[in-house]
Amino acid sequence: MSQRRKRHPRQQGNVAPRQSIYVEEGRGYVAYFRQHGRTERHRCKLYEEALQWLRAKQGDRQPLTGAEYLDAQNALAVLPEGATLLEAARHYARTHHAAVHAAPVAVGEAVRRFFAARGSFLATVSRRQYHSVLGRFEAYAGSPAPLGGVDRETVDKFLSGVKPSTRNSILNHLSAFMSWAVREGLLAANPCERVERARKVEPPLGVLSIGETAALLAAAERVAPRICAHLAIQLFAGVRPEEAPRLRDRHVRGGYILLDGSVTKGARARSIAIRPNLAAWLRAHPFAPLTKSQLRHDLEAARAAAGIACWPRDCLRHSFATYAYEVRPDAAVIAAEMGHKGTEVFFKHYRALAEPGAGQAYFGIVPGGERLGKDVSENGRKRPKTVRRGKAGIHGDNAQKSA
């Protein structure tokens, strides 16, 4: 009689737990631990805290815990292809050892080195902001104080009592300086990375109405025609105000505005499609380079002639982003035309709400003597019979109610 093999029950202790960490926007991290059919979760502000919780749940059941395995997976995803964790660990050990054992550098000396190394790469406005922030921090921490003594508590005290929007701006500049110090081996770690940013409600974005846009361009045609091409490029292509004085004839050609590193913020090249109404403005008012003072003088004259008293910051660029998204809700394309790396900045800072149809009316604004071909809208679709109003015409089915 054959013997049946005895079946050993599976030992529950050998079942590897399932662990994961998810990011909740604006709320931190959530760690999940599942074993034996039971799931536990824990919400943390920092990624390191989530890992510590998973390690505590795992205990010493195996040489490499699930949390450590997850951490290794995330580390490998960050590393370039072909690099190993051992190489990364050795590199960290070398740089960390160099930062810890290097001769201490005073805060004031580190600030001077930063501007010597990075000052020429910063735009004028950015350089002024860095001087303000780092000058205040140097006065607070003490110029002779060692930079290595700056920790999270020091940064928190420095930022105490500052309103939310200012706090985040100061923290961004200070964190960039600390990151540079880490790369240079002056610091072991950036203390700003663990400082919590203030939560603030974004104010309403300043966008020109359809009527204001048409009035501004019509006034410019009357009192300062040389600025018409520049205004149209900013209104209908989203070019930054600080980029406009750097534009030359070679950048505006064919069916695109081609911006190279000599023009753009951050020296990142980009191209912007010339929409039909912008082409009409460039035909009526050929582009010619203007200086910053000429642009400022002519813009003030056009605003005064149009009777526009309220002028929100970056309203020309905000208007382009808002109305372009209403016509074509493709954030990736519009963000690329505006020079953003992703869509986060576009949605956070540049896009306001627009009524349905407002985008077609906005991109139907043309000079008094021009028409948009065969009634073709900004997105290439046929539209109803055009309507003209004023010297700078508003063409499209929404023209009468938008003027």
Side-chain angles (χ1 to χ4, degrees):
M1 194 173 172
S2 63
Q3 271 188 333
R4 279 185 76 183
R5 237 175 124 180
K6 190 172 180 182
R7 189 173 180 183
H8 295 280
R10 186 171 63 176
Q11 301 208 5
Q12 297 290 329
N14 293 332
V15 178
R18 297 177 63 185
Q19 305 177 69
S20 55
I21 298 177
Y22 294 92
V23 181
E24 285 192 344
E25 186 175 354
R27 300 182 65 183
Y29 299 86
V30 179
Y32 288 86
F33 183 90
R34 179 179 178 81
Q35 192 173 33
H36 309 323
R38 181 184 175 190
T39 302
E40 298 180 60
R41 71 174 185 173
H42 183 68
R43 182 174 284 109
C44 312
K45 288 185 178 179
L46 301 174
Y47 178 75
E48 291 78 10
E49 294 176 0
L51 283 177
Q52 290 176 5
W53 182 80
L54 288 177
R55 291 190 183 105
K57 295 299 298 180
Q58 181 67 19
D60 297 325
R61 298 177 187 175
Q62 56 188 30
L64 185 67
T65 66
E68 291 168 340
Y69 181 75
L70 177 64
D71 191 35
Q73 281 185 318
N74 292 334
L76 286 171
V78 173
L79 290 173
E81 186 176 357
T84 65
L85 285 178
L86 180 59
E87 293 171 343
R90 285 173 176 168
H91 175 73
Y92 173 80
R94 285 194 302 268
T95 55
H96 182 76
H97 182 273
V100 170
H101 296 279
V105 176
V107 173
E109 175 62 22
V111 171
R112 283 187 287 275
R113 290 189 192 180
F114 172 78
F115 284 113
R118 301 293 303 164
S120 60
F121 298 98
L122 298 173
T124 304
V125 175
S126 297
R127 187 164 55 248
R128 193 178 300 124
Q129 291 171 339
Y130 274 107
H131 272 293
S132 174
V133 171
L134 297 182
R136 289 168 59 185
F137 181 74
E138 183 180 347
Y140 172 80
S143 182
L147 183 64
V150 177
D151 55 11
R152 175 183 176 180
E153 185 179 356
T154 305
V155 177
D156 265 327
K157 288 182 178 178
F158 171 66
L159 296 172
S160 62
V162 180
K163 63 181 182 180
S165 58
T166 306
R167 174 189 173 92
N168 290 346
S169 177
I170 292 175
L171 185 57
N172 289 338
H173 287 83
L174 188 59
S175 180
F177 164 69
M178 295 295 181
S179 295
W180 169 86
V182 171
R183 291 194 300 270
E184 294 297 312
L186 306 180
L187 271 179
N190 183 353
C192 298
E193 291 180 351
R194 296 175 62 85
V195 176
E196 189 173 357
R197 280 169 165 72
R199 297 183 65 182
K200 60 186 181 70
V201 178
E202 288 289 332
L205 298 177
V207 174
L208 295 180
S209 68
I210 310 298
E212 288 173 332
T213 305
L216 177 67
L217 288 167
E221 285 190 293
R222 294 195 309 271
V223 301
R226 66 180 180 179
I227 201 180
C228 287
H230 286 265
L231 282 178
I233 286 172
Q234 293 181 58
L235 284 164
F236 305 125
V239 172
R240 293 182 175 93
E242 60 270 22
E243 294 171 344
R246 305 174 197 150
L247 288 175
R248 297 296 180 265
D249 295 330
R250 69 178 185 274
H251 298 128
V252 184
R253 59 184 179 182
Y256 290 89
I257 297 174
L258 305 174
L259 304 179
D260 54 35
S262 65
V263 177
T264 62
K265 177 181 178 181
R268 292 190 297 270
R270 73 181 192 273
S271 62
I272 309 168
I274 294 179
R275 290 159 171 79
N277 75 318
L278 175 55
W281 281 100
L282 294 177
R283 284 194 300 270
H285 302 277
F287 174 83
L290 295 177
T291 65
K292 187 183 296 185
S293 60
Q294 288 173 329
L295 288 168
R296 182 171 59 251
H297 176 272
D298 288 4
L299 178 59
E300 290 174 357
R303 280 181 54 198
I308 302 176
C310 180
W311 190 258
R313 181 183 176 186
D314 263 355
C315 59
L316 303 182
R317 189 165 156 86
H318 286 307
S319 300
F320 165 77
T322 297
Y323 294 118
Y325 187 77
E326 196 282 323
V327 172
R328 181 184 181 184
D330 190 335
V333 172
I334 300 170
E337 289 187 323
M338 297 181 71
H340 299 153
K341 290 183 178 179
T343 59
E344 182 181 356
V345 175
F346 168 74
F347 282 114
K348 186 176 181 181
H349 295 293
Y350 286 96
R351 189 186 69 88
L353 297 177
E355 294 182 0
Q360 283 193 352
Y362 179 82
F363 287 100
I365 299 175
V366 294
E370 287 278 354
R371 299 180 72 87
L372 282 184
K374 295 235 175 195
D375 296 334
V376 178
S377 67
E378 185 274 338
N379 60 0
R381 298 176 183 172
K382 286 191 175 181
R383 57 162 61 162
K385 188 176 180 180
T386 59
V387 177
R388 290 176 56 195
R389 174 169 298 192
K391 192 171 182 182
I394 302 178
H395 295 246
D397 52 342
N398 292 282
Q400 290 180 326
K401 64 181 179 181
S402 301

